Amino acid sequence: MSAGAPRVLGLIPARGGSKGIPRKNIRPLGGRPLLAWTAECALAAQTLTRVVLSTDDEEIAEVGRAHGLEVPFLRPPELATDAAGSLAVVIHAVRALSGDFDAVCLLQPTDPFRPAALVDRCVTTLFERGASGVVSVLPVPTRYHPDWVYRPTEEGGLRLADGTTAPVTRRQELGPAFIRSGAVYVTRTDTLLTDETLYGDRLVGVPHEANEAAFNLDTMDDWRAAEAHLASAGGPE
């Protein structure tokens, strides 16, 4: 990065106790450990000053080092349970590291196919838009648009988010709506440490480009879908 550019920590969390897909962070996908895909992406990003792996597991740490990641600490066991959230893990890493970072970019290994270009767009957007946080997003399929989603009431009925029962009837009248893709989260350090949130009150979304795949590998069905994607795209065997 050029002189005077923001300092951004790239943080990859990878604990050892995953249950939906046992040992998923080092399970081979396309001939290499899952973690390797995100390591390659993070190291290729132009906007990340430093890339660090946060793990509680020495075997995962060794895989991370083998793929170019820094492992300056092992995460404490209390931050490696099913109940430990991403926010606590990110705050722990920032406080454990020496370095004055302007922002943190969280890159979970569960989305192996995000490109470095998406990371750079998200980081750049954070500073260009004066945002507190940036997340990568995908458009909501029309049939699941929030203006068409009902929630049950305590009385057993149904209500839309605005409290009514009659939805917009014309698809053309629906406004844009997005969901987090889970690929990239960028947060200003002051928002993270002072407000204790990954988002803040000035959250901005950066959409994936049409050719940028988005995956969230939590189950074996997800894993098989990722393998099918690789096969169809002619990726590594």
Side-chain angles (χ1 to χ4, degrees), residues 29-43:
L29 176 67
R32 51 181 167 159
L34 178 66
L35 176 59
W37 293 86
T38 293
E40 179 179 321
C41 165
L43 294 171

Side-chain angles (χ1 to χ4, degrees), residues 100-119:
D100 185 17
F101 296 104
D102 299 294
V104 181
C105 179
L106 177 66
L107 301 171
Q108 300 178 108
T110 44
D111 191 330
F113 306 134
R114 79 174 72 70
L118 176 61
V119 175

